[in-house]
Amino acid sequence: MSYGGRRTITASKVKRCTSADRWRRVVMMRFPMTVLRVVTLAPALLVSFVLTVVVCALLPPALGLVAFLVAAGLLVALALGQFEVPAIATLTRSRPATAAELQVMAPVLAELGGRDVGVDAVFVRRRQGPSTPVAVAIADRAVVVTPGLVAARYRGGVTAAEAAAAMAHAVGRRRAIRPRLELAALAATTPWRLVVATFRGVGRAFAWLPFMRLAWTLRGFVGVICIVQSVAEGRAAPGILGGAVIALTYLVPAANRRIEAWLEAAADQLVVSLGLGSVLAGLLRRHGHPMTLERLQRLETAIEQQPRPQLHLVHG
């Protein structure tokens, strides 16, 4: 969700999102959330560890050993809760909010505090891309927001209640997953995220080549051939390893989609319980954020089921 232009959500877009979302839920419904999180986190940790060892091995022996020990000590310190502010700023590419930004966001924080959602620290991202989340809750009672949200709040394009709904949704996502050793895990998987970003950039750069999309679509067929050929030649281990890597290109995105759907529903439930469901729905609709029909109903109709205040006449 960005605050550049304004679009409207058409019925066809809602229907397309709904059918795709239903298909994903049917495919991933039987897997427990713990299994899905292991599927997404284990490859990231393994690849990051291997890359760190390789980089340290390429350095001179003494320097490589020092670098490895420093990296391990930093992870231990983050796990123990040390260096929280610089870690958040580095891992999220943000900075602590200035006094002027805090003054702009003060009504929003007051709105959240009045609804028992405490935010002790606000960070502002240094850069904002088209897919940058508006707000992300991280560590203990800290929220990272985009400069676009602060600017929109200052200009009056976003009300205090709308900004509070967006930040409460971010808090709801973190409350739902309850991550352990969050900053340490983010730091440990930094090499994995760099590799993924690099491959995505390369893929976008060569997407214009003919048959590139077809080749990616047929990667499962290539993996099966790789396994069969390796087994036939008596070298089963390389083939199975290559097939497992290709299988992960299916499993990890599917698990991520399921986790995202679960977190979104849990965060929506928190926003609705705070009485901000219709506010968030209006904000998302105004800025053209794609939403499924189920989510629209979850945000807009659930709030109407809550008891409304009644007017009582007092007779003297």
Side-chain angles (χ1 to χ4, degrees):
M1 179 177 63
S2 61
Y3 295 102
R6 296 185 179 181
R7 297 177 295 170
T8 57
I9 302 176
T10 61
S12 60
K13 181 184 294 186
V14 171
K15 291 180 180 179
R16 288 197 300 269
C17 294
T18 302
S19 60
D21 186 66
R22 285 177 178 174
W23 182 85
R24 292 167 185 167
R25 290 180 182 178
V26 170
V27 173
M28 302 300 295
M29 187 67 71
R30 297 183 179 179
F31 292 92
M33 192 56 57
T34 303
V35 175
L36 297 179
R37 292 185 62 186
V38 170
V39 169
T40 58
L41 187 59
L45 290 173
L46 179 60
V47 172
S48 298
F49 177 76
V50 172
L51 290 176
T52 302
V53 171
V54 169
V55 171
C56 292
L58 294 176
L59 297 174
L63 183 59
L65 178 60
V66 171
F68 184 82
L69 293 178
V70 169
L74 180 60
L75 292 180
V76 172
L78 291 177
L80 295 176
Q82 303 298 320
F83 311 118
E84 185 174 286
V85 173
I88 294 175
T90 302
L91 294 173
T92 61
R93 297 180 183 180
S94 62
R95 53 172 176 75
T98 62
E101 291 168 337
L102 289 176
Q103 184 178 3
V104 172
M105 300 298 292
V108 181
L109 300 179
E111 182 82 18
L112 290 172
R115 300 175 187 270
D116 294 330
V117 179
V119 176
D120 294 339
V122 178
F123 292 77
V124 180
R125 293 189 185 271
R126 299 182 183 275
R127 282 182 156 186
Q128 178 179 348
S131 59
T132 303
V134 173
V136 174
I138 189 172
D140 187 17
R141 298 163 66 94
V143 176
V144 181
V145 299
T146 60
L149 178 63
V150 180
R153 179 72 195 98
Y154 176 73
R155 294 193 303 265
V158 174
T159 64
E162 291 173 339
M167 295 177 67
H169 193 271
V171 173
R173 287 174 60 91
R174 188 179 184 278
R175 286 183 181 180
I177 201 169
R178 297 184 181 276
R180 298 181 179 179
L181 308 178
E182 183 178 11
L183 295 178
L186 284 176
T189 55
T190 297
W192 163 263
R193 293 197 302 275
L194 292 177
V195 170
V196 171
T198 301
F199 275 100
R200 285 179 178 174
V202 173
R204 286 193 296 266
F206 291 95
W208 60 272
L209 292 176
F211 305 110
M212 283 294 296
R213 186 177 297 275
L214 178 62
W216 178 253
T217 304
L218 297 177
R219 66 190 185 280
F221 181 69
V222 174
V224 173
I225 294 177
C226 177
I227 295 176
V228 172
Q229 183 177 359
S230 299
V231 172
E233 295 177 354
R235 298 181 293 105
I240 294 176
L241 180 60
V245 172
I246 294 177
L248 286 175
T249 63
Y250 290 97
L251 293 177
V252 173
N256 277 325
R257 287 193 295 267
R258 178 59 185 147
I259 292 174
E260 285 298 317
W262 177 68
L263 291 178
E264 183 180 86
D268 287 346
Q269 184 178 2
L270 174 64
V271 173
V272 170
S273 68
L274 297 176
L276 296 172
S278 59
V279 176
L280 180 61
L283 176 66
L284 296 176
R285 185 187 297 108
R286 190 169 75 246
H287 292 279
H289 187 78
M291 289 185 292
T292 62
L293 181 60
E294 286 86 350
R295 190 182 187 194
L296 283 172
Q297 294 175 344
R298 184 167 64 230
L299 290 174
E300 293 183 338
T301 62
I303 190 66
E304 296 177 359
Q305 298 173 359
Q306 295 182 359
R308 297 181 179 179
Q310 299 179 354
L311 180 62
H312 299 277
L313 299 179
V314 179
H315 299 279

